[in-house]
Amino acid sequence: MSESAPAETPLDELVESVADRTGEKPESIRTWLEPFTDDGRVTSAAIESSVTDVSQILATAETRVDLATRTHDEATAADDAPDLEVVTVRRRAFGDRLDDLRAEVEALGDELGAARSGLAEPVAVYRAAVALHEITTEAQDIVRVAHDLETELEAFEAWLSSANRRHGALVDEVEAAEESAAALTETVESLRDADDPDPGRRFDAAVQTRVLDLVVADLRAEADDLRAWAHRDGVPFPDDVDARIDDLESAVAEHADALGDRPGRDGEFGERLDALDAELEAVEPPVAWARVDETVAEARSALSEDGAPGDEAAN
């Protein structure tokens, strides 16, 4: 802890000083300063103890990321997978996520260093207490995300080593797409039968149709790669996958026709669909779904914004 940390100061006195300088509520300030408090006084020893606790949590996050990195290296170093996009895109995605986690840990380390220095002023002590809480929360999130990533990497290693697992996962993805298409069919039929279909529902159905169209393309590319892999290894590939993907493609095309391609040519909804189309047209399989999800969320924000874009679409 910096030597500029305050000597023992009554908590009430420090709260009053911070409230006067920041205008923030005393009870909120008191809550944030509680970890720095010992027997009603803010002390250097209590601050140091809090910093130590946060340092340990951050060290745990770093260790968890290191374990995930080791699992990633083991999963990708010794496999006999062919040079196919279905493999490359997964490896790249895992590597990018690990890079992000390592950068987050490093940034939190810098924030911890900043929080533990320059504590001569009451407001600085208060800001440090808030910062340590935020660092703790973010470090705990990293521990959780890294643990989940390690589990995913173990599953990826099993996927690499087993044709049955790869084919089973593909079939599961096809089934999930079929369920989504079936739900969309009900929505489209209800919209078609309605005398005055809700513009917001039409818009959302149009977005779902575009996403499913991309899902079909992604499934077809994945099936092609996995079939080539199965052929290389001399193992059977599921017979009905292509037919089911063809059926999905037909269903999605029917939905697009039924919706008239867009819920309306005027207003916010039409503009958002045009923007979404421009974004999705540039996406090719294998799809980076995290980026697509962000794009779709941006388009769907029209449904929750004030100002009634739905009224515009209905005009």
Side-chain angles (χ1 to χ4, degrees), residues 264-282:
R265 293 187 179 277
D266 299 319
E268 178 91 6
F269 287 155
E271 294 174 2
R272 298 232 174 191
L273 279 178
D274 288 342
L276 179 62
D277 286 339
E279 292 281 348
L280 296 186
E281 283 174 3

Side-chain angles (χ1 to χ4, degrees), residues 203-212 214 261 268-283 291-300:
F203 172 79
D204 192 55
V207 171
Q208 292 181 56
T209 299
R210 285 156 170 78
V211 172
L212 269 175
L214 196 55
D261 192 48
E268 178 91 6
F269 287 155
E271 294 174 2
R272 298 232 174 191
L273 279 178
D274 288 342
L276 179 62
D277 286 339
E279 292 281 348
L280 296 186
E281 283 174 3
V283 177
R291 176 65 181 274
V292 171
D293 289 344
E294 291 176 3
T295 301
V296 171
E298 174 80 14
R300 277 185 167 144

Side-chain angles (χ1 to χ4, degrees), residues 235-269:
V235 298
F237 185 78
D239 293 332
D240 62 342
V241 164
D242 289 333
R244 293 170 69 177
I245 294 175
D246 288 342
D247 290 342
L248 274 169
E249 186 173 28
S250 297
V252 172
E254 290 176 6
H255 296 333
D257 289 341
L259 291 169
D261 192 48
R262 61 174 65 188
R265 293 187 179 277
D266 299 319
E268 178 91 6
F269 287 155

